Amino acid sequence: DTAVSQTPKYLVTQMGNDKSIKCEQNLGHDTMYWYKQDSKKFLKIMFSYNNKELIINETVPNRFSPKSPDKAHLNLHINSLELGDSAVYFCASSPYPDSTYEQYFGPGTRLTVT
Amino acid sequence: AQTVTQSQPEMSVQEAETVTLSCTYDTSESDYYLFWYKQPPSRQMILVIRQEAYKQQNATENRFSVNFQKAAKSFSLKISDSQLGDAAMYFCAMGYSGGGADGLTFGKGTHLIIQP
């Protein structure tokens, strides 16, 4: 069974479009995250959700919005896509506030904006 | 603010030899956790090893071990008997107790090449 899954794995779209990336975890974790990995492989936190409540929101454009329909899902919506949004986006989950806070990552979604 | 620094963008080692990847960090927190993640070409992020800052004993997982020097804020990863499957990007990361919802802070990564 896949612990953290993301769909799609690849997404190619044009500037100005709106797109969504879905994430699901079957680990029973309370906290989920979205990270962005840029072209230089640098990983940076974008959002986290704990029990459907947004905990942090790093300095990301408000074109990005996380949506959590339930504890097992955290989807990422992106409006008015720009060239600079091209990156790999990772969903992750964590047993926080329990346990030792390691994060379990999904396979990533490579977004290419043309 | 927490920072994680990996000063080696790329390392190369012969198969079966030992290699050490460096990581230093900075934090004002007293209770934190350190991790090494592996990212092979498949891009999946795989947890390699975890160290709790309150533990003095260095963590070990099979061929992977860490040298945790708390005073020096250093957290290096040693890979013994390197195998071709170890070739990947390795990321050092840090999180802190009570801040688990803040996510992890990552270093910029070290690209490990295994020479056959």
Side-chain angles (χ1 to χ4, degrees):
Chain A
D1 281 346
T2 303
V4 182
S5 60
Q6 290 178 233
T7 53
K9 290 190 177 178
Y10 298 94
L11 184 54
V12 180
T13 188
Q14 293 184 328
M15 282 194 308
N17 286 347
D18 302 337
K19 290 293 178 184
S20 295
I21 305 172
K22 294 185 177 180
C23 177
E24 177 181 3
Q25 55 98 0
N26 62 8
L27 298 168
H29 289 167
D30 284 332
T31 307
M32 296 182 71
Y33 312 81
W34 278 104
Y35 288 84
K36 179 181 180 179
Q37 186 174 43
D38 63 23
S39 58
K40 296 185 178 180
K41 303 282 190 180
F42 184 56
L43 272 154
K44 188 172 181 182
I45 184 77
M46 297 178 71
F47 304 103
S48 75
Y49 255 74
N50 179 262
N51 283 328
K52 298 175 64 176
E53 181 184 354
L54 180 65
I55 302 298
I56 61 169
N57 184 342
E58 289 291 312
T59 55
V60 300
N62 57 15
R63 298 181 295 103
F64 291 78
S65 57
K67 295 280 194 299
S68 180
D70 55 57
K71 195 174 84 166
H73 297 83
L74 182 63
N75 304 323
L76 183 65
H77 298 277
I78 315 170
N79 295 324
S80 303
L81 278 155
E82 301 177 357
L83 291 175
D85 298 332
S86 295
V88 179
Y89 292 85
F90 285 95
C91 176
S93 73
S94 164
Y96 175 81
D98 298 325
S99 192
T100 52
Y101 314 125
E102 68 258 32
Q103 301 194 2
Y104 298 80
F105 285 82
T109 296
R110 180 177 293 280
L111 172 64
T112 304
V113 183
T114 62
Chain B
Q2 302 173 99
T3 60
V4 177
T5 302
Q6 294 178 250
S7 58
Q8 306 152 315
E10 187 171 280
M11 293 280 287
S12 182
V13 65
Q14 291 289 128
E15 194 176 2
E17 293 188 346
T18 295
V19 63
T20 298
L21 308 184
S22 301
C23 173
T24 58
Y25 61 92
D26 192 22
T27 181
S28 58
E29 300 291 334
S30 59
D31 191 9
Y32 52 90
Y33 298 83
L34 296 163
F35 308 92
W36 279 97
Y37 279 88
K38 170 185 178 182
Q39 186 179 40
S42 67
R43 79 168 179 250
Q44 177 70 53
M45 295 289 290
I46 302 165
L47 178 65
V48 175
I49 200 164
R50 174 187 66 235
Q51 175 79 44
E52 292 87 343
Y54 62 85
K55 289 186 177 179
Q56 292 186 334
Q57 187 172 5
N58 289 323
T60 299
E61 289 286 343
N62 300 314
R63 298 183 294 108
F64 298 86
S65 61
V66 298
N67 183 4
F68 174 46
Q69 301 289 329
K70 191 172 184 177
K73 295 184 178 177
S74 171
F75 182 62
S76 60
L77 175 70
K78 186 172 82 171
I79 306 174
S80 304
D81 185 26
S82 298
Q83 299 177 1
L84 293 177
D86 296 333
M89 284 290 291
Y90 285 82
F91 293 95
C92 180
M94 175 172 63
Y96 67 96
S97 302
D102 288 350
L104 300 179
T105 300
F106 283 86
K108 292 188 175 182
T110 297
H111 181 211
L112 179 63
I113 298 168
I114 310 294
Q115 305 278 6

